[in-house]
Amino acid sequence: MRTISQFDAKMYRDELEGLREEMMDILIEMEHRQNTSSREAFDGWWDEGGAMRHYFDLKGRAERIEGILYSSVIEEEEYPKMRAQTGGRTGMGEYANDTAEESDDGFFDWE
């Protein structure tokens, strides 16, 4: 069992909500295409167009996040821990670049 901060838990919940919304959009599009196009056109969009793969990728990410939230203890903090800022302005007025590497659990670890 891992311990995560309440702020990280909120981040995971927000990401999960976004994944669910995107999955719902794909399912609505799938329903629409099934009702308005030929079987061949639908299969081309769903299978060959990558919609099915994208849907199941989203589903897998959502399941991993649900597992993390389910098996984690949420640490209540009065103040959030300081985190390195990425993508914002540096002290010299320039924008910093985001760099990330995907970890074994499928999430991105920011450097």
Side-chain angles (χ1 to χ4, degrees), residues 32 45 49 53-54 59 62 65 73 78 96 98-99:
H32 174 72
W45 171 79
R53 180 181 175 96
H54 184 61
K59 187 173 188 227
I65 292 171
V73 174
E78 189 171 334
D98 288 340
T99 57

Side-chain angles (χ1 to χ4, degrees), residues 1-5 12 64 67-69 71-75 105 107:
M1 184 160 294
R2 75 172 73 169
T3 302
I4 61 175
S5 73
Y12 282 130
R64 282 193 298 275
I68 289 169
L69 290 171
S71 65
S72 296
V73 174
I74 298 173
E75 179 182 83
D105 62 1
F107 297 101

Side-chain angles (χ1 to χ4, degrees), residues 15-29 51 54-55 57-59 61:
E15 183 177 356
L16 184 59
E17 181 180 335
L19 292 169
R20 287 179 177 159
E21 288 175 6
E22 195 172 348
M23 288 168 48
M24 182 63 68
D25 290 343
I26 291 172
L27 292 176
I28 291 169
E29 177 73 13
H54 184 61
Y55 174 80
D57 286 344
L58 294 171
K59 187 173 188 227
R61 287 174 42 203

Side-chain angles (χ1 to χ4, degrees), residues 29-48:
E29 177 73 13
M30 180 181 75
E31 182 77 21
H32 174 72
R33 285 178 182 261
Q34 278 184 325
N35 292 330
T36 60
S37 26
S38 69
R39 182 67 185 171
E40 293 80 21
F42 173 78
D43 288 343
W45 171 79
W46 182 245
D47 295 330
E48 297 150 19

Side-chain angles (χ1 to χ4, degrees), residues 12 86 98-111:
Y12 282 130
T86 58
D98 288 340
T99 57
E101 290 186 18
E102 191 169 358
S103 62
D104 292 337
D105 62 1
F107 297 101
F108 289 95
D109 295 327
W110 295 94
E111 296 177 343

